Amino acid sequence: MTQELPEIALEDKGSKGRYFLRAPDGAEAEMTFTKVGEHQIIIDHTEVPDAFRGQGAGLRLVTRAVEDARSAGKKIIPLCPFAAAQFRRHPEWADVLKG
């Protein structure tokens, strides 16, 4: 039985930030990023604890970053292996991928 995932929250701390999901038991799935100037972000880490495994939490976090980057006119550098793999699987994200 898969329960509905909580809403994605954004924590922005100047040059760094994260998107995260928090389970009722306090477990957090997160994707961290670093801002590079005004027009680029680096996705540097994605972590999904067992409480979120198999529910698409990691993909949801990366998708939210893509949507936010697109609406803000920013590019993404996916250094995190998970995020890089998602960019390879989603060619429709090419407009926000820093080439």
Side-chain angles (χ1 to χ4, degrees):
M1 180 171 94
T2 304
Q3 63 189 66
E4 190 172 317
L5 289 172
E7 285 299 307
I8 295 173
L10 170 61
E11 191 173 85
D12 191 334
K13 296 187 173 186
S15 65
K16 294 196 174 281
R18 71 185 186 130
Y19 290 95
F20 65 97
L21 298 160
R22 184 173 291 133
D25 68 358
E28 288 185 348
E30 72 173 357
M31 186 206 71
T32 61
F33 63 88
T34 302
K35 295 176 188 174
V36 181
E38 293 292 314
H39 304 289
Q40 296 179 74
I41 66 165
I42 295 171
I43 296 176
D44 40 38
H45 181 70
T46 304
E47 185 167 338
V48 178
D50 289 341
F52 289 105
R53 295 250 188 250
Q55 299 176 54
L59 175 58
R60 280 191 58 212
L61 292 167
V62 177
T63 300
R64 170 70 187 274
V66 168
E67 291 167 352
D68 287 357
R70 187 174 283 141
S71 68
K74 294 184 179 184
K75 297 287 186 181
I76 295 175
I77 302 166
L79 291 185
C80 162
F82 176 80
Q86 293 307 313
F87 269 87
R88 286 191 297 274
R89 289 186 186 115
H90 294 275
E92 70 274 17
W93 295 350
D95 62 312
V96 297
L97 179 61
K98 175 70 174 171

